[in-house]
Amino acid sequence: MAFFKSKPWTSLAIVLTMLLVSVNAYFVFKDDSKISRSYFIDEFQKAYIGTNTERVNKETIVAPAETYTITADATSLSTVNVKRGQEVTLNDLLATYKTEEVDDELTKLEAERTAYENELSDLEDALSQIENDYDDTDPKSSINTDQINEKLSVTLKLELAQQNSASTAVAILNGHIAEANRQIALMDAQIEQIQSRQGLISPVDGIIASIKEEAGTVTFEIYSTEKTMLAYLSEDEWQKVSAGQTVDFKVNHLKDSLSGIVLEKQMIATTDDSIWGNELAKSAALPQPTNYEVALQQGDELEDIPFSTTGKASIIVNEASDSYKVDKSWVHAAKKKGKKIYIIGQDGKIELKDIHIDFKTAQSAIFTDNLNEGTPMLSDKKRNLSAYSFRTMPVEKIQWQHFKKLDWKHYIKYIIF
């Protein structure tokens, strides 16, 4: 009190200064303040350019690329030569025919071959006769088929009789001769196959998946040695995934990651009869209430990986190079003005930046607009544009020595100015 009485003007100056600072601080820091001010930013993201992707991540299962089904009359077989799980190669014997069945098949094929041989002989005789009886110096208006060979078919005789030149008839006969030779070669191949194998053979390299006998028929199911990965999509995921998209794989029991593509997706929902869907459902939850099977083709062969092995696939459904990523909740939606984000400009002031969003992921919005790399992006809170701001210091971790660098003058300057 004695100080105020002895130095009234100094005391008054102190009181007025404190009042000014208090009033200024109130109007600057109150929630609805309209004053352009500095912000202390403790939450921000820096804009870094790069390639950003949206992915659909799914559980997968190893399955055959193709499944082949071969059937035979059970009564014609004497022995089944393979068992479930056995590896087979092209032309391996699956089952042996009964001896009498083989003999009947050979008799039929040999009779057919004899018939083609007789036809070939008649055709060659007819060709020889035409070439001897007709030449270019003595053209005829038509061919006298009665003089050629009575053993030719009625259809062929009629076709020859309609020709106006011997050269055309010769061409027709040569065509029939070539067909007869082709049929004889085909009969020879079938006869040789039955004589050497005498049974049902495998059409591919693969694995015997099952052998079933029902209603007098034996059915062999063979999985191809080439494998594929199957995944099951929800309706929303189905809309995003398309053939040809890039896929990254991780398969159990395989150290290295694989890459590949989406090979095919089904239009029809998976049913309860799906072998591979039911197998995968033992270890992973499939989308409900419906799901759709998609075939994924890996770039490398899965030689030592058995069927039904599970894994994971990451399908790239969207990709943008030279793009930026920001928390999608930080995007400011302005009415009729598109999408914007708050940033701190090079002058340290807060700005609203127009952006065009290419796509969104679960957490982020991806955009490709021009932006200086490293620009701080701020959350979507109401801010005064053109206000100055400064960030948390330091960004990594606050330490005591950083506070010691600031004295009371810095805080007073911040409050007043």
Side-chain angles (χ1 to χ4, degrees):
M1 187 64 68
F3 175 80
F4 288 101
K5 289 180 179 181
S6 61
K7 296 181 180 181
W9 294 108
T10 302
S11 302
L12 181 60
I14 293 174
V15 171
L16 290 175
T17 299
M18 294 178 62
L19 181 61
L20 177 62
V21 170
S22 300
V23 171
N24 186 64
Y26 171 75
F27 283 106
V28 169
F29 291 106
K30 71 173 185 174
D31 292 338
D32 59 348
S33 173
K34 303 298 183 183
I35 298 175
S36 181
R37 59 186 176 181
S38 297
Y39 281 88
F40 186 83
I41 306 299
D42 61 351
E43 186 180 17
F44 67 97
Q45 297 176 6
K46 284 189 175 182
Y48 290 113
I49 195 168
T51 298
N52 291 287
T53 59
E54 179 186 6
R55 296 173 178 263
V56 170
N57 298 313
K58 304 301 299 181
E59 302 287 336
T60 60
I61 189 167
V62 176
E66 299 287 347
T67 300
Y68 301 88
T69 301
I70 304 165
T71 60
D73 184 357
T75 60
S76 68
L77 300 178
S78 62
T79 308
V80 173
N81 301 83
V82 293
K83 61 183 178 180
R84 182 178 182 272
Q86 181 176 332
E87 291 189 28
V88 292
T89 59
L90 178 66
N91 291 331
D92 275 357
L93 189 64
L94 302 180
T96 303
Y97 289 124
K98 293 178 180 178
T99 303
E100 57 271 23
E101 296 291 341
V102 173
D103 292 342
D104 289 346
E105 189 68 18
L106 284 174
T107 300
K108 183 178 71 173
L109 290 172
E110 286 170 351
E112 289 183 31
R113 188 186 189 285
T114 300
Y116 279 116
E117 283 183 333
N118 292 335
E119 180 182 350
L120 178 62
S121 177
D122 294 339
L123 290 168
E124 288 174 340
D125 288 344
L127 178 63
S128 177
Q129 187 171 350
I130 288 178
E131 289 176 338
N132 290 333
D133 293 347
Y134 300 91
D135 55 46
D136 293 338
T137 61
D138 185 23
K140 302 291 184 178
S141 60
S142 62
I143 305 299
N144 186 352
T145 55
D146 293 335
Q147 297 177 359
I148 297 176
N149 193 319
E150 345 180 288
K151 295 181 181 181
L152 295 179
S153 68
V154 174
T155 303
L156 180 55
K157 285 183 179 182
L158 179 61
E159 189 176 359
L160 292 175
Q162 294 173 342
Q163 305 308 315
N164 294 324
S165 67
S167 60
T168 304
V170 168
I172 291 173
L173 285 171
N174 279 327
H176 284 273
I177 289 172
E179 176 61 20
N181 280 318
R182 190 184 71 82
Q183 291 295 337
I184 290 172
L186 182 61
M187 294 297 105
D188 287 341
Q190 289 180 298
I191 290 170
E192 182 181 357
Q193 186 180 68
I194 289 178
Q195 287 175 335
S196 61
R197 297 294 182 181
Q198 295 191 346
L200 194 68
I201 62 173
S202 172
V204 292
D205 296 343
I207 307 291
I208 301 297
S210 66
I211 305 171
K212 298 178 182 178
E213 183 174 352
E214 294 178 332
T217 300
V218 177
T219 301
F220 297 86
E221 190 172 62
I222 303 176
Y223 292 161
S224 64
T225 53
E226 183 183 357
K227 300 181 179 73
T228 189
M229 303 287 287
L230 298 180
Y232 296 85
L233 308 177
S234 67
E235 291 183 26
D236 290 340
E237 291 168 338
W238 192 95
Q239 298 295 333
K240 296 180 179 180
V241 171
S242 60
Q245 290 174 335
T246 301
V247 186
D248 294 324
F249 297 97
K250 186 63 181 176
V251 183
N252 291 344
H253 316 301
L254 193 64
K255 293 181 179 179
D256 298 330
S257 296
L258 304 175
S259 62
I261 61 169
V262 176
L263 186 63
E264 180 186 18
K265 64 176 185 177
Q266 292 293 336
M267 296 286 290
I268 302 174
T270 309
T271 66
D272 293 336
D273 297 330
S274 170
I275 295 174
W276 305 106
N278 291 335
E279 192 69 22
L280 183 58
K282 294 178 182 178
S283 59
L286 303 188
Q288 296 297 332
T290 57
N291 58 76
Y292 299 82
E293 186 178 89
V294 58
L296 311 173
Q297 186 179 56
Q298 68 285 349
D300 296 327
E301 287 294 331
L302 302 174
E303 295 181 356
D304 299 323
I305 302 298
F307 296 115
S308 296
T309 300
T310 57
K312 298 181 183 297
S314 183
I315 306 170
I316 300 176
V317 296
N318 271 309
E319 186 172 21
S321 58
D322 298 331
S323 60
Y324 300 94
K325 176 172 65 175
V326 66
D327 191 310
K328 65 181 182 181
S329 66
W330 288 21
V331 176
H332 181 77
K335 292 182 180 179
K336 300 181 180 180
K337 293 184 179 180
K339 307 297 184 183
K340 302 174 182 287
I341 54 172
Y342 285 106
I343 66 169
I344 300 176
Q346 291 183 335
D347 58 0
K349 294 181 180 180
I350 295 176
E351 302 174 11
L352 259 180
K353 169 74 175 176
D354 290 307
I355 62 170
H356 176 269
I357 296 176
D358 289 51
F359 57 87
K360 292 182 179 180
T361 64
Q363 291 83 28
S364 304
I366 310 302
F367 61 97
T368 52
D369 301 85
N370 186 28
L371 195 65
N372 291 328
E373 193 164 13
T375 297
M377 301 178 292
L378 312 179
S379 60
D380 185 27
K381 298 177 182 178
K382 187 174 181 180
R383 305 173 188 276
N384 290 339
L385 300 181
S386 299
Y388 286 101
S389 63
F390 64 90
R391 301 193 300 271
T392 304
M393 184 177 61
V395 174
E396 293 80 11
K397 185 178 181 181
I398 297 177
Q399 298 179 359
W400 175 246
Q401 57 265 32
H402 294 106
F403 285 105
K404 293 194 294 184
K405 294 179 181 179
L406 302 176
D407 56 25
W408 63 273
K409 294 179 182 179
H410 290 90
Y411 293 100
I412 295 297
K413 182 178 179 181
Y414 174 70
I415 292 174
I416 296 176
F417 300 101

